Amino acid sequence: MAAKRGSAAAEATPILARLSLQPGKLSYSYGSMLIPIAGALGLWLLPRSWDRLVLLTWMGILFFVSALDLFFNFLLKHHYYVMLPVAVGLGVLVAKIEARWGRVPALALVGLILVPGVMTAIDVALGRIP
């Protein structure tokens, strides 16, 4: 009897199923991919410089690894290696918003950034996230 090859009957990459798992994976890092995207937007608003290029490239590592994680279903739950460019980008974004529209919208953005972190901390404390 011939050996059955798994590749012929293998299921295609279940992208939608993996996308549905992504928020749970991000709960270990930012709680939402919107936070790193907002950080990247803040970095993009900086004047062109070597520093901006380095930070954007560093931030790009997060997006590259997240795409790999989604496609290959790695269990990457900690994105601590890009905390610095995310924080710098968010700081720039908050500063630009405060300069343009005032303190209240800037504080609202800070509040929106804190909500996923606080919710994740509560979930971890209550044992909802193993």
Side-chain angles (χ1 to χ4, degrees):
M1 203 170 201
K4 188 173 183 181
R5 292 191 173 207
S7 62
E11 179 183 350
T13 302
I15 295 294
L16 293 178
R18 291 183 183 174
L19 273 173
S20 70
L21 295 174
Q22 198 67 13
K25 291 180 179 184
L26 289 172
S27 292
Y28 288 91
S29 55
Y30 297 106
S32 169
M33 200 60 177
L34 293 176
I35 292 172
I37 290 171
L41 175 65
L43 291 176
W44 192 258
L45 295 174
L46 286 172
R48 289 177 186 237
S49 68
W50 176 252
D51 297 336
R52 178 187 116 156
L53 179 62
V54 168
L55 289 169
L56 281 171
T57 302
W58 192 353
M59 176 81 73
I61 292 169
L62 170 66
F63 299 128
F64 176 72
V65 170
S66 293
L68 287 177
D69 183 23
L70 183 64
F71 187 75
F72 293 110
N73 204 23
F74 295 146
L75 296 176
L76 303 174
K77 296 180 179 176
H78 301 283
H79 300 306
Y80 54 85
Y81 54 89
V82 291
M83 291 284 186
L84 179 74
V86 170
V88 170
L90 290 173
V92 170
L93 190 62
V94 169
K96 296 271 186 185
I97 288 173
E98 183 179 14
R100 184 163 196 163
W101 293 297
R103 185 169 292 217
V104 173
L107 288 173
L109 177 61
V110 170
L112 288 173
I113 292 168
L114 291 175
V115 166
V118 170
M119 297 303 295
T120 300
I122 291 169
D123 287 341
V124 168
L126 295 175
R128 289 185 237 166
I129 296 177

